[in-house]
Amino acid sequence: MIPHSSIFTLWLLLSLPNSGCARVFNLFGLNVGDAGPTHSLDHSADLSDHLGKLFDSGEGCDLLLLVSSEPAEEGADVTVCAHRAILSQFPRFNASQTSTSISVDVGRSCQQHFIPFIRYIYTRKVDVTSSSVQCFHSMASAFEVKQLIEDTGRLFHKILAEDASFHSQLSLFEYAVETGDPLLQNDCLQYLAWNFQNLTASLAWPNVSAEVLRALLSRSDLVLPDEYALLQSVEGWITQRAKMISLESQVELLSHVRFPMISPEKLYELENSSALYNTHKNMYRDNMLKAFKFNVLLLNKLVPNPRFDKQSIDYQPRIYMVEPWGADIDPSKPAPAPYIPQHYTSYNRRHQYNGYHRLEQPTVTPRYTPLTESFRTPVHNSLIFKDKTVAWEANVLKKQEECLSTGVRCDSLPLLKLSSPHQSSYDYVRFGNRLVQMCQGKYVSMVHDFVNDVVELAADGTQAAAYPCPEDKYTYRLVVRPEFSWSSRL
C-alpha cells in the first residue's frame, strides 16, 4: 500500500511544470490534466438491426398489445409482445408501469400492417406501398409517431401517380375527409382533376361517389379533350348508377357541365345523341338555349338578362387538350445552331505596314435562335369569333443570347415563352394559357400557369412535378384558354 504522503508527493511532482516527471510526460506529447483529442466511436448504424432482432425474438418483452378491430371477426385479432421502455417514447400508447397489457383498436384493413408498424418504432425502418401508406399514416397519427406521419404524408404525392386503377386515390380522398385533412383532400382532387380522362376510362369510375364527382365538376382545372367529352362521361356515370341516384341529384350534377363551352355543332346534336335528354328535357333545353345565346352574342348583350351572370363559371373554359386548343412541344430538343455569316469580303480592309499587307475582318457576332414551335387557334370558341384566329409562337429559351434575340428578360434559365403579337388586339378576350406536363404520356404530373407569357423550366429542361415521374421522362402540351374579359367595355 502506497502511503498517503507518497501519493501527495507524486501529485506534487506531476503538478510542477519544471519537474522531472512532468518533462517525461511531455516527451510523449501528453499534457497532464488534459483529456486530449476526442475520438468519436459511432456504432449507431447497427442499433436498428439489433433492436429489430430484439423485437422479432420477443426476448424480455413486458407489455402485451391486444389488437382488435370492428366488426369483430373470430380468430382475426392480433397479439404483439413489446417492450415498455421502447413504446414509452410515445405517450399515446399509455404504456404505464402498472399495466401488463393494453388494447389497441385498428381498422380491419390495417391489421396486417400493425406488426410492421410496431417494428418501425424499434428500427425506424419500414416498407410502404401504395396499398399500405394510408394505414401507416393512420396508425402514426393515432400514436403521434411524428416522423412517420411526415414521411408517409410526403409519399402520398408519389403514390397517387402509381395506381392506374384509381382505387388508391379515391380511398385516400375518403380517408382525408374522415380525418379532416383539407390539404390531402385537395391533393387527391387535384390529381383526379388533372387525370380526369384516365379516371373516366378506369374500372373505378362507376364507383366514384356523387360527392367526389360534384367536387370535380366544380373545378376549372379539369384536363380533358373538351366539354362535350365531360358531358358524355357524366351521362355515362349517371346511367350506370341510375337506380342509386335520385332524379334531382342527376339534374344537379348535370347542371355543373358548362354547356356554353360545348360547340354549337355538338349542342345541335344533343337531342338525339344524349342518353338522358328525354329524362331531363327541361334542364337540357334551358342550358342549350343559354349556350346558343352565348355563342351568338357578346356578354355585354346578355348582362341585362338576370338569368345570365357574366361572372358565372359556365362561361369559363377548363383545360381542353383537343385541337385546335393544344399543341405539343419538346423542350429537350436542341435549338438551331447559331447563324454566323460566312462572307465579309466587302468589309475587308487592307492596311500597308512597311510594304506588307494585312487582311482584317470585323468581329462576327453569332445570331442565336431559340427552339420555336408555331400554331394557330381560334380567338374564342364562340361563334362570333368563328372566322378569326390567333397565331401563337412558343420559344424555349436556354441561353441569354436567345433571350436577347427574342426581347425577353430572363432572370433564370431555361424559360418557356408562349406569346402572340395579336393576342391583345381583341378587347373582349384574354388568355389564361397552361402548360400541361405529362409523365411519358400516361398521366398528368403538373399543370403550369403562364405568368407574363413565361413558365420557368428546371435546369435539365424539365419542370418540377406535383406527382413525380420515373426517370423524369416528361412530355409537354401547350393549351390556349380564351376567356371573355370582364373589362369596363362589357
Side-chain angles (χ1 to χ4, degrees):
M1 182 175 179
I2 302 176
H4 290 292
S5 59
S6 300
I7 294 175
F8 175 77
T9 302
L10 178 60
W11 171 83
L12 183 62
L13 288 172
L14 292 174
S15 64
L16 295 175
N18 296 321
S19 68
C21 288
R23 288 196 297 273
V24 170
F25 277 87
N26 287 335
L27 285 175
F28 292 96
L30 300 175
N31 186 9
V32 178
D34 186 357
T38 301
H39 301 279
S40 179
L41 305 177
D42 185 1
H43 303 126
S44 60
D46 299 329
L47 183 61
S48 176
D49 290 337
H50 290 318
L51 288 176
K53 292 177 181 177
L54 176 65
F55 173 77
D56 294 339
S57 68
E59 183 178 348
C61 64
D62 54 358
L63 185 65
L64 203 61
L65 305 179
L66 306 176
V67 186
S68 59
S69 61
E70 295 293 337
E73 184 177 327
E74 185 177 353
D77 291 347
V78 176
T79 302
V80 180
C81 190
H83 298 80
R84 192 189 318 275
I86 301 293
L87 298 187
S88 62
Q89 302 171 76
F90 305 97
R92 294 293 291 273
F93 277 102
N94 297 320
S96 64
Q97 293 295 328
T98 57
S99 61
T100 58
S101 64
I102 57 176
S103 297
V104 180
D105 185 21
V106 176
R108 177 70 62 197
S109 61
C110 292
Q111 270 199 4
Q112 60 181 312
H113 305 297
F114 184 76
I115 292 177
F117 167 67
I118 298 298
R119 198 177 194 277
Y120 166 86
I121 293 175
Y122 283 70
T123 65
R124 298 302 191 269
K125 296 178 182 179
V126 69
D127 292 327
V128 180
T129 65
S130 59
S131 61
S132 66
V133 62
Q134 178 181 321
C135 287
F136 281 108
H137 186 273
S138 174
M139 291 185 289
S141 300
F143 296 101
E144 294 185 354
V145 185
K146 294 181 179 180
Q147 188 63 57
L148 188 57
I149 295 173
E150 294 174 5
D151 288 344
T152 51
R154 282 190 290 268
L155 276 177
F156 284 142
H157 271 226
K158 183 177 181 181
I159 288 173
L160 279 170
E162 290 181 349
D163 185 5
S165 73
F166 284 91
H167 291 298
S168 296
Q169 294 89 335
L170 296 171
S171 176
L172 278 177
F173 178 77
E174 292 176 2
Y175 169 69
V177 172
E178 291 173 1
T179 57
D181 188 337
L183 293 178
L184 181 56
Q185 289 180 45
N186 184 66
D187 285 341
C188 293
L189 286 176
Q190 180 178 262
Y191 183 83
L192 295 173
W194 289 356
N195 293 277
F196 188 79
Q197 190 173 2
N198 288 348
L199 172 63
T200 58
S202 71
L203 295 177
W205 174 241
N207 299 319
V208 171
S209 67
E211 292 72 23
V212 171
L213 181 56
R214 187 178 297 107
L216 290 173
L217 293 176
S218 67
R219 300 174 69 106
S220 292
D221 62 345
L222 283 182
V223 178
L224 64 164
D226 56 25
E227 196 72 18
Y228 181 68
L230 176 62
L231 174 59
Q232 289 180 308
S233 297
V234 175
E235 287 184 339
W237 183 91
I238 291 174
T239 301
Q240 289 179 298
R241 299 168 61 99
K243 296 181 179 179
M244 296 178 285
I245 182 169
S246 67
L247 293 177
E248 292 77 11
S249 296
Q250 293 179 27
V251 169
E252 192 268 334
L253 289 172
L254 287 167
S255 66
H256 287 287
V257 176
R258 301 177 185 181
F259 282 82
M261 294 295 107
I262 299 176
S263 70
E265 294 81 5
K266 297 295 184 182
L267 288 171
Y268 183 77
E269 297 172 0
L270 273 183
E271 186 173 353
N272 296 319
S273 63
S274 170
L276 298 175
Y277 181 87
N278 291 326
T279 306
H280 306 293
K281 189 174 296 185
N282 290 336
M283 187 280 301
Y284 275 89
R285 285 180 173 177
D286 288 346
N287 280 282
M288 288 166 63
L289 178 60
K290 179 180 178 180
F292 280 128
K293 288 183 176 181
F294 173 80
N295 273 277
V296 297
L297 296 173
L298 288 175
L299 282 187
N300 61 338
K301 304 296 184 181
L302 301 176
V303 169
N305 187 334
R307 297 182 64 186
F308 291 92
D309 176 11
K310 69 177 184 180
Q311 301 290 352
S312 171
I313 61 173
D314 286 343
Y315 304 120
Q316 305 301 313
R318 306 187 202 261
I319 303 175
Y320 304 131
M321 299 277 278
V322 73
E323 293 183 357
W325 303 111
D328 295 326
I329 188 168
D330 183 0
S332 65
K333 287 174 59 176
Y339 173 67
I340 303 176
Q342 299 297 317
H343 304 289
Y344 289 89
T345 55
S346 60
Y347 298 97
N348 292 344
R349 293 175 297 172
R350 290 182 178 274
H351 296 275
Q352 185 174 356
Y353 297 92
N354 297 327
Y356 293 95
H357 291 83
R358 185 177 69 181
L359 181 65
E360 291 186 352
Q361 289 184 333
T363 302
V364 179
T365 302
R367 301 175 189 171
Y368 287 86
T369 303
L371 172 67
T372 301
E373 297 287 347
S374 301
F375 61 101
R376 302 185 73 89
T377 69
V379 173
H380 194 272
N381 64 319
S382 175
L383 271 181
I384 58 176
F385 293 106
K386 181 179 180 180
D387 298 324
K388 296 181 175 64
T389 61
V390 180
W392 296 94
E393 182 176 279
N395 303 123
V396 181
L397 307 173
K398 300 180 181 181
K399 300 177 181 292
Q400 285 294 343
E401 294 86 352
E402 296 171 354
C403 298
L404 292 173
S405 68
T406 53
V408 178
R409 177 179 174 178
C410 299
D411 295 325
S412 63
L413 290 172
L415 288 178
L416 177 60
K417 178 187 177 185
L418 177 63
S419 62
S420 170
H422 306 295
Q423 63 174 301
S424 60
S425 302
Y426 302 95
D427 296 326
Y428 296 109
V429 179
R430 67 180 177 88
F431 296 92
N433 300 333
R434 301 289 190 268
L435 175 66
V436 178
Q437 179 175 335
M438 301 187 67
C439 173
Q440 302 174 0
K442 297 178 181 178
Y443 60 85
V444 176
S445 60
M446 190 69 184
V447 174
H448 307 279
D449 297 351
F450 280 89
V451 180
N452 296 324
D453 295 337
V454 299
V455 167
E456 292 186 7
L457 298 173
D460 59 356
T462 65
Q463 178 58 287
Y467 309 102
C469 180
E471 302 179 12
D472 292 333
K473 293 183 178 179
Y474 297 106
T475 56
Y476 296 84
R477 188 162 180 83
L478 302 161
V479 177
V480 174
R481 297 178 66 251
E483 307 172 20
F484 273 129
S485 174
W486 314 129
S487 65
S488 59
R489 290 191 58 180
L490 287 179

mmCIF file of all heavy atoms in Angstrom, residues 45 66-67 115 158 221 223 232 250 254 292:
data_model
loop_
_atom_site.group_PDB
_atom_site.id
_atom_site.type_symbol
_atom_site.label_atom_id
_atom_site.label_comp_id
_atom_site.label_asym_id
_atom_site.label_seq_id
_atom_site.Cartn_x
_atom_site.Cartn_y
_atom_site.Cartn_z
ATOM 1 N N ALA A 45 -25.272 2.721 -36.439
ATOM 2 C CA ALA A 45 -25.837 2.107 -37.644
ATOM 3 C C ALA A 45 -26.303 0.677 -37.375
ATOM 4 O O ALA A 45 -27.216 0.179 -38.039
ATOM 5 C CB ALA A 45 -24.805 2.125 -38.770
ATOM 6 N N LEU A 66 -52.923 -5.945 -27.387
ATOM 7 C CA LEU A 66 -54.065 -6.719 -27.853
ATOM 8 C C LEU A 66 -54.764 -5.914 -28.946
ATOM 9 O O LEU A 66 -55.424 -4.903 -28.665
ATOM 10 C CB LEU A 66 -55.025 -7.000 -26.693
ATOM 11 C CG LEU A 66 -54.381 -7.656 -25.460
ATOM 12 C CD1 LEU A 66 -55.412 -7.796 -24.339
ATOM 13 C CD2 LEU A 66 -53.797 -9.010 -25.830
ATOM 14 N N VAL A 67 -54.616 -6.337 -30.201
ATOM 15 C CA VAL A 67 -55.108 -5.582 -31.346
ATOM 16 C C VAL A 67 -56.448 -6.153 -31.776
ATOM 17 O O VAL A 67 -56.569 -7.344 -32.049
ATOM 18 C CB VAL A 67 -54.105 -5.640 -32.519
ATOM 19 C CG1 VAL A 67 -54.571 -4.728 -33.652
ATOM 20 C CG2 VAL A 67 -52.717 -5.244 -32.049
ATOM 21 N N ILE A 115 -48.032 -5.046 -37.036
ATOM 22 C CA ILE A 115 -46.743 -5.561 -36.574
ATOM 23 C C ILE A 115 -45.587 -4.823 -37.246
ATOM 24 O O ILE A 115 -44.638 -4.407 -36.561
ATOM 25 C CB ILE A 115 -46.657 -7.086 -36.790
ATOM 26 C CG1 ILE A 115 -47.647 -7.801 -35.853
ATOM 27 C CG2 ILE A 115 -45.235 -7.591 -36.543
ATOM 28 C CD1 ILE A 115 -47.691 -9.308 -36.028
ATOM 29 N N LYS A 158 -46.373 10.859 -54.445
ATOM 30 C CA LYS A 158 -45.758 9.873 -55.333
ATOM 31 C C LYS A 158 -46.686 8.692 -55.575
ATOM 32 O O LYS A 158 -46.832 8.210 -56.708
ATOM 33 C CB LYS A 158 -44.441 9.383 -54.733
ATOM 34 C CG LYS A 158 -43.684 8.398 -55.611
ATOM 35 C CD LYS A 158 -42.361 8.017 -54.988
ATOM 36 C CE LYS A 158 -41.601 7.042 -55.892
ATOM 37 N NZ LYS A 158 -40.304 6.626 -55.305
ATOM 38 N N ASP A 221 -59.780 23.302 -63.374
ATOM 39 C CA ASP A 221 -58.508 22.678 -63.764
ATOM 40 C C ASP A 221 -58.690 21.235 -64.225
ATOM 41 O O ASP A 221 -57.720 20.463 -64.247
ATOM 42 C CB ASP A 221 -57.489 22.747 -62.626
ATOM 43 C CG ASP A 221 -57.935 22.000 -61.375
ATOM 44 O OD1 ASP A 221 -59.140 21.677 -61.282
ATOM 45 O OD2 ASP A 221 -57.088 21.753 -60.495
ATOM 46 N N VAL A 223 -58.531 18.517 -66.750
ATOM 47 C CA VAL A 223 -57.828 18.332 -68.025
ATOM 48 C C VAL A 223 -58.576 17.261 -68.802
ATOM 49 O O VAL A 223 -58.666 16.113 -68.363
ATOM 50 C CB VAL A 223 -56.367 17.915 -67.790
ATOM 51 C CG1 VAL A 223 -55.655 17.678 -69.120
ATOM 52 C CG2 VAL A 223 -55.625 18.992 -66.993
ATOM 53 N N GLN A 232 -70.548 13.612 -71.813
ATOM 54 C CA GLN A 232 -70.728 12.184 -72.095
ATOM 55 C C GLN A 232 -70.317 11.325 -70.899
ATOM 56 O O GLN A 232 -70.977 10.332 -70.570
ATOM 57 C CB GLN A 232 -69.918 11.796 -73.327
ATOM 58 C CG GLN A 232 -70.465 12.346 -74.635
ATOM 59 C CD GLN A 232 -69.628 11.929 -75.820
ATOM 60 O OE1 GLN A 232 -68.414 12.102 -75.852
ATOM 61 N NE2 GLN A 232 -70.286 11.331 -76.817
ATOM 62 N N GLN A 250 -79.406 13.870 -60.177
ATOM 63 C CA GLN A 250 -78.921 13.788 -61.550
ATOM 64 C C GLN A 250 -78.911 15.171 -62.204
ATOM 65 O O GLN A 250 -77.936 15.565 -62.845
ATOM 66 C CB GLN A 250 -79.802 12.824 -62.367
ATOM 67 C CG GLN A 250 -79.719 11.375 -61.936
ATOM 68 C CD GLN A 250 -80.631 10.476 -62.749
ATOM 69 O OE1 GLN A 250 -80.948 10.763 -63.902
ATOM 70 N NE2 GLN A 250 -81.069 9.368 -62.144
ATOM 71 N N LEU A 254 -75.665 17.293 -63.593
ATOM 72 C CA LEU A 254 -75.617 17.718 -64.994
ATOM 73 C C LEU A 254 -75.520 19.235 -65.116
ATOM 74 O O LEU A 254 -74.946 19.754 -66.077
ATOM 75 C CB LEU A 254 -76.851 17.209 -65.736
ATOM 76 C CG LEU A 254 -76.875 15.702 -66.029
ATOM 77 C CD1 LEU A 254 -78.274 15.274 -66.472
ATOM 78 C CD2 LEU A 254 -75.846 15.331 -67.096
ATOM 79 N N PHE A 292 -76.512 28.585 -76.730
ATOM 80 C CA PHE A 292 -76.684 29.159 -78.071
ATOM 81 C C PHE A 292 -76.603 30.680 -78.022
ATOM 82 O O PHE A 292 -75.990 31.316 -78.892
ATOM 83 C CB PHE A 292 -78.011 28.707 -78.683
ATOM 84 C CG PHE A 292 -77.975 27.330 -79.266
ATOM 85 C CD1 PHE A 292 -78.924 26.371 -78.905
ATOM 86 C CD2 PHE A 292 -76.994 26.970 -80.195
ATOM 87 C CE1 PHE A 292 -78.886 25.098 -79.446
ATOM 88 C CE2 PHE A 292 -76.966 25.697 -80.739
ATOM 89 C CZ PHE A 292 -77.903 24.753 -80.372
#
